[in-house]
Amino acid sequence: MVLQVHHMELSQSERIVFLCEELSIPYTLIRHKRAPLFAPESLRLPGNPLGKSPFLEDPDEGVALAESGAICEYILGKAGDTTLSKKYGDKGFADYLYWFHYANAGLQPAVVGSMLLSLSALPEGDEGDGAGADFTAADIMSVYTVTTQRYFGPHLKLAAYPNILRWLKDVSERPGYRRAMEKGDPEMELLVGAEAPATTLIQEGGVGSGIWKKKN
Ligand SMILES: N[C@@H](CCC(=O)N[C@@H](CS)C(=O)NCC(=O)O)C(=O)O
């Protein structure tokens, strides 16, 4: 049986859908709806007692796994040698490791905690993506935090960060990202531009408000 990818709408699990699309691997996408802000009961599965999203099952191996970073590494390990990860000895390996882990250990908590000073501390002209020109799983890990996360706050405007905007444009124009979003969150207006929504899902009481939906 192929990998079972559990994705809750508007959540960090979009990373896993993005990764699977970029790898072009077979997988089953199991979508869950927020209820209306937190995770629904349907995500409380064996191996996922906290009911978090993302959650991965590999039935052939008897594996059940939570945590985006762990899931990414598991899928990359299973996929074997691909351009989306780097190993010791590859050029840029240390940068890859740093940015892959910074996404969830530094960037995501900083944004969630409204600690935006860490972003504004980037020196003028800094590329903001130390892994260089190569597109890797480090990019996949980072996109959610500056896009979909903004539906929950903080009101993060990206106009002051041209390099982040340019990086976001490049990554979000990838067919793999577009396919992932179309499969995972087909109703969601993608937040890939400079502007954040005027209000948040926290203020509006969850996904029932529809502030996240495509306008047409
Ligand atoms: N560090 C975890 C965070 C997982 C997480 O908090 N996911 C959120 C969605 S973005 C969630 O499941 N929230 C629902 C809830 O806590 O009820 C990861 O990267 O997988």
Side-chain angles (χ1 to χ4, degrees):
M1 203 193 275
V2 295
L3 291 173
Q4 312 282 298
V5 174
H6 292 266
H7 165 60
M8 178 172 72
E9 61 186 359
L10 286 83
S11 86
Q12 296 178 55
S13 48
E14 67 177 42
R15 297 161 166 161
I16 310 305
V17 187
F18 189 8
L19 179 68
C20 290
E21 288 297 323
E22 287 288 344
L23 288 171
S24 294
I25 54 170
Y27 69 102
T28 301
L29 180 63
I30 301 142
R31 294 175 58 206
H32 301 265
K33 292 209 159 295
R34 283 187 181 265
L37 203 48
F38 296 107
E41 278 304 309
S42 58
L43 265 167
R44 283 190 198 278
L45 298 164
N48 194 22
L50 298 178
K52 293 286 183 187
S53 176
F55 179 59
L56 178 78
E57 292 173 288
D58 186 353
D60 293 343
E61 304 296 334
V63 166
L65 197 58
E67 276 301 326
S68 311
I71 293 171
C72 275
E73 294 213 46
Y74 183 87
I75 293 174
L76 287 165
K78 191 165 175 128
D81 222 3
T82 77
T83 59
L84 292 189
S85 62
K86 292 180 186 288
K87 57 185 183 314
Y88 185 79
D90 288 346
K91 187 171 175 290
F93 175 60
D95 281 341
Y96 167 74
L97 279 185
Y98 176 80
W99 289 105
F100 184 91
H101 289 283
Y102 178 69
N104 240 14
L107 180 62
Q108 176 69 10
V111 170
V112 168
S114 303
M115 287 182 263
L116 297 176
L117 284 180
S118 60
L119 278 176
S120 60
L122 277 179
E124 190 71 20
D126 191 306
E127 288 301 315
D129 61 345
D134 297 343
F135 173 79
T136 67
D139 296 282
I140 288 176
M141 281 292 290
S142 304
V143 173
Y144 169 85
T145 306
V146 289
T147 55
T148 311
Q149 171 64 43
R150 289 193 286 168
Y151 278 121
F152 298 86
H155 190 77
L156 174 60
K157 289 185 179 182
L158 294 178
Y161 307 103
N163 289 330
I164 293 178
L165 270 180
R166 195 193 58 235
W167 165 78
L168 197 50
K169 182 172 184 300
D170 287 350
V171 175
S172 67
E173 284 178 356
R174 293 182 68 84
Y177 180 74
R178 295 284 157 171
R179 281 198 308 274
M181 294 303 117
E182 206 42 50
K183 289 184 181 180
D185 283 280
E187 295 177 278
M188 180 175 68
E189 182 79 43
L190 301 182
L191 286 182
V192 295
E195 282 303 311
T199 179
T200 70
L201 286 173
I202 308 282
Q203 289 169 307
E204 301 295 331
V207 288
S209 63
I211 61 156
W212 53 280
K213 291 197 173 182
K214 286 175 182 158
K215 301 296 173 284
N216 47 21

